[in-house]
Amino acid sequence: MKLTKVVAFSYLSIAFLIYQNQLKATGSTIYGWITDAKTGQSIHNAVVGDSMTYQTTNSNKFGYYSLTLSSGKHKIMIAAHGYRAAEIKAQFTGYNLENIQLEPLEEGEEDPITAWLYALGNNNISHIAPTAEQIRNMPALACEPDILRFAQFLPGMMGGTEGLSGLFVRGSNADQNLLLMDNAPIYGLGHVFGVLSPFNSEQVKDVHLYRGVLPARFGGRAGGVIDVTMNEGSNSDFKGSYSINLLDFNFNFSGPMGKKTTFSAGIRRSWIDLLFPQDGENTFDYNFHDLNFKLFHKIDDNSSLTFNIYNGRDLFALKFSDSDKDSFNRLINRKFDFSTRWQNTLTSVQYQRKFSPALFANFMLGYSKFSYRSGIKFNIDITDTTGINKRESSVFAANAITDFINKNDFEYKLHNNSKLRFGSEFTVHGYKPGTEELKGTTNGVVSIDTTTGVINKGIGVESGLYAEYEYKNDRGLLINFGGRIWQFYAFEKNFIRMEPRIILRKILQKNAVIRAAFGIHNQGVNQLSSINGSLPRDVWFPAGEKIQPQQTIQGTLGLTKPLKNNFEFNAEVYYKRLKGVTDIASLDEYSNSPKFWEQLVYQGNGNAYGLEMFVIKKTGKITMMASYTYSFSDRKIEGINLDRKYFFRWDRRHSISGMCHFYLNQRTQVSLSLVIMSGNPVTVPTSKYVTADGRIVLDYSTKNNYRMPLYNRSDITVTRKMRFGSGDNGGGQYIGFNIYNWYGRFNPFSVTAVEIEQSGGKFEVKERALLRFVPTGFYCIKF
Amino acid sequence: MKKNLNKLGVALFSFAILSSCERDADLSKINTEQRLVVNALINNRESLSFQLTKSVALTEENNIQNVTNAQVYLIDEADNRMKLNYNPLTERYVLGFVPLAGRSYSLLIAAPGFQQIESKTILPGAGLSNKPTWKDSTAWDKDGFPLGSLFIPINDDASRENYYRVSINYWNSTSAEWVPLKISSSDPIIVEDAIQNKDGSIVINDEQFNGKFKTFNFQTPFGFTGQNPKFLIKTENLSKEYYDYFRSLDRYTEASGFFDEPTAVFTNIRNGLGIFAGSTVRLDTIK
């Protein structure tokens, strides 16, 4: 009731503010949609700026922009990465509709105005928006580009275990990241136990990565945001691609469906299992797939509708059988059928409407589910003199999280210099943190049929109400002041917290921009996972009586400067306080007893701070990015490390990473990457001793006490265009290869103590490395 | 073609795996200070006796190194200091004193070359339980042979968190000795929550039957049917640190997968390792 009143009061206040400002509105407003001239797809985060003043705005996720200026003659410049800058010179009074189409840059082409304007006009902080092309061109393990592994090359975003797509943003745990696919959250870790993320890079339209203070419209997580918008398809012609690499084949097709509708569809599937027969009693199977489908429908000039659906699934299955005779001369036949599957299913419908040139809204309904099921069926037939006795038993463990989401986002131009974003988010979480089904029959008669863990199933509600007031003046100052009221309810426990967020930007002379931000973020859902890497069995559970919501408090100061030759330089310093951050002392086979996670999870505090420097060049014959990060992160959690502070598992003091893509000639492209990082800490035993029950155990009481050696790796991908396609859509046949860790550097991913055989109990500690020099290839047709 | 593709796949996979390797870690980078290790599980039925050892370097051969020259004191609630002496025959520190149920005790140990260590525990008040019973031929095993059932009742005290350890021994008339019996049960509390110890005993907490009268059904294997077996049942009411210790030992054993963090075995010994924990014991013999 109390929250309802707060919500109602907030909405009324905003409505009053809008009404007041409508009365005061003066000057002229230009507004419209920014789209790709070739495909008609909307362009997110394009910068629209007045060349005479420092007034700029960014197009939203649906390509809509609105810029208010004084009445009179203006030269408006429009820029977006991957596109040629455009300009409009005109006399503006009142409301002016200006739909803008931007021409994509040709391969190797660059546009100095775009780089310059984008560096100055981007209002976000701690934000990077790589182009989809940059991600596809990355040197990738198994020739499969991946958004999350691309992000690992960015400052402040550390990868975890070698080869996996884990992401640790500025000292946060992996479960603090919010992964969004077309505005709906996605929970599952992806494919092949985390080697690939759920995002098929061929289906990605644009990506926005936030690693610091988040604008108030984002909530529910205390770490970074990976905001991915999927491809909508071209409104002018059909396009497609087919590719095959070591892991999978990938077929994508998109195009128009009538005058107002476009679509994009894709399937990515592993193929190695198709080569092995799956019939018979002894089989092994592993496969995964991604299915993407998106529709975009333009209803009229003021409104449009998007529909997105995604399913990704992994299946691991093993069947075998044997038979023998026991000492009673009975014939015993046994059959084992083991299977593990996990999948993400996600769908969202979004309706965008421009109510007036000053008011734009997006309404979204979404559904997202992650489910996991693993177990074994065991059949035994015993044949003796009395006949055949049949016994069947099975045990299956399962977990799931299901979200129903509603988001309503509004943008309202209040005045010449100010804008208001506000909205609400409402999510119903359905938790199934872990159940176990045990069934048994003897000669068809049920002997056991029980399911444990049902008691932990539950429903939770998470909601947020946010507002961002954005003010700009003619001297390049921007203030984005706002906040979020965050509410989380689960297991009869309710939390309401305020989340102030403020972002300041000032354009300095000599085209430099300084930015500062402060924000608080809360998180109610947590994942019970090892810090080494997530597994599909790792359950999501809510905060409650014993587990408090996680919270981060962060401050950031940054500098951006466009440099010569289309380079952009960014530097940021940050400090982050983590409260209620989780860790686990171990992750054994947990039970399904009531709220079992409360026995496994420890909570405490942590600190993270650092300096990040980043140079990027997004267009031209040579594109590149390079970064240096100095960072520190620690934890202090009662019950772990003898209650003393310890380094975070992915704390790395120095990190240098770089990626570069260039054309050797008209047909051949090369992508190179390099990563050099300080080693991360791991836990190694310091000694051994005897326990009360006579076991010899190793002393692991000091956590993360051993620093791995320097990590150093370089990857290379070479792509050759075999045959040119017709038209200008980049069609043709491509062949290429990738070598991951091409100079075979030994980079340990684990350190373990091993007992030396026949040594009288001596142990040795071994560093183990994986993925030294991994060559793979691919073939691709684009049409 | 298909065979060639198979070969190619296997070759590439093998290449990636074979290219992985291992090497020795540089142990000079970690602090390997030796610490005293206390293994003192005390109860209200036996006079005090425990082993005191020290932790040893991973590369040493001898895993168990007794510390024989320590000054060891037990301190009761009235602050009475009782000195324990080292017995070279049993290689344990001993005291002719039986701790009392419901009382707390402290341990103070000083040994040359080590930091002084301290610890404290309580022997929980005696639990209220009825006598266990055994029934013949109550179920069938997976091969169709008859099983028996041991019913062990526990009347849980609602006023506090309780932890129990149950051990079952059977009388082996051939060797004329009590032999530990590995406990199995289909009770969800046992299946889901029990810690299985190396000696066959189980440790449970009362979270799912707090303040209730609960009878556990443990299956005895085929072989006792029609044999008039004799069982010795030991039901212990444990202190919290006793439970935490065994829970961490259980996790230590389980945490062997790559994604599992190494588990530190619980200790309540300040500046040292090991355990000082108490229990209150009930013994029942049934025929």
Side-chain angles (χ1 to χ4, degrees), chain A residues 553-719:
Chain A
I553 302 165
Q554 188 170 180
T556 306
L557 185 65
L559 172 78
T560 301
K561 185 162 173 53
L563 305 173
K564 285 180 183 172
N565 301 321
N566 298 336
F567 283 87
E568 179 188 321
F569 171 78
N570 285 281
E572 284 190 17
V573 288
Y574 67 91
Y575 172 76
K576 189 175 185 177
R577 175 78 174 153
L578 300 103
K579 290 183 170 181
V581 68
T582 58
D583 203 342
I584 49 175
S586 70
L587 192 65
D588 60 346
E589 288 295 323
Y590 45 77
S591 71
N592 292 318
S593 58
K595 297 183 188 172
F596 60 87
W597 53 88
E598 290 180 348
Q599 293 175 23
L600 298 168
V601 171
Y602 294 77
Q603 278 193 297
N605 297 326
N607 296 287
Y609 57 82
L611 162 71
E612 298 161 355
M613 289 193 282
F614 182 55
V615 176
I616 188 166
K617 183 175 184 294
K618 292 188 182 178
T619 54
K621 283 185 179 164
I622 299 176
T623 58
M624 61 81 69
M625 57 185 204
S627 68
Y628 165 76
T629 305
Y630 171 88
S631 63
F632 173 93
S633 55
D634 69 5
R635 300 281 189 269
K636 187 176 187 307
I637 298 177
E638 207 171 298
I640 296 180
N641 196 43
L642 306 168
D643 301 343
R644 295 192 295 243
K645 271 188 181 179
Y646 60 94
F647 290 118
F648 178 50
R649 174 75 164 80
W650 301 111
D651 169 64
R652 296 182 191 270
R653 201 65 64 242
H654 304 279
S655 168
I656 296 169
S657 63
M659 199 187 284
C660 144
H661 172 262
F662 58 92
Y663 288 82
L664 268 185
N665 52 47
Q666 204 181 1
R667 285 180 178 269
T668 312
Q669 305 169 42
V670 178
S671 296
L672 257 175
S673 68
L674 175 72
V675 185
I676 304 171
M677 297 188 285
S678 309
N680 59 289
V682 292
T683 306
V684 300
T686 52
S687 62
K688 56 185 174 177
Y689 64 96
V690 63
T691 65
D693 61 354
R695 304 181 218 196
I696 302 300
V697 296
L698 304 179
D699 179 13
Y700 287 107
S701 52
T702 46
K703 193 174 168 83
N704 294 344
N705 55 347
Y706 179 84
R707 194 62 76 166
M708 293 270 209
L710 190 82
Y711 183 97
N712 179 351
R713 192 190 90 227
S714 179
D715 311 328
I716 184 168
T717 294
V718 177
T719 306

Side-chain angles (χ1 to χ4, degrees), chain B residues 160-227:
Chain B
R160 62 179 191 221
E161 287 181 356
N162 289 294
Y163 308 92
Y164 302 98
R165 181 180 186 180
V166 179
S167 325
I168 303 172
N169 290 266
Y170 69 93
W171 182 252
N172 186 326
S173 51
T174 311
S175 60
E177 61 178 350
W178 291 106
V179 178
L181 184 67
K182 193 163 186 215
I183 295 177
S184 71
S185 172
S186 57
D187 190 304
I189 293 175
I190 306 294
V191 174
E192 292 294 326
D193 269 356
I195 298 162
Q196 293 276 356
N197 288 323
K198 201 179 153 193
D199 62 0
S201 65
I202 55 145
V203 174
I204 50 174
N205 64 41
D206 68 350
E207 212 167 81
Q208 295 193 60
F209 58 98
N210 186 34
K212 294 177 184 165
F213 184 85
K214 169 80 183 167
T215 300
F216 290 97
N217 177 352
F218 296 101
Q219 285 165 350
T220 54
F222 172 66
F224 292 116
T225 304
Q227 302 295 313

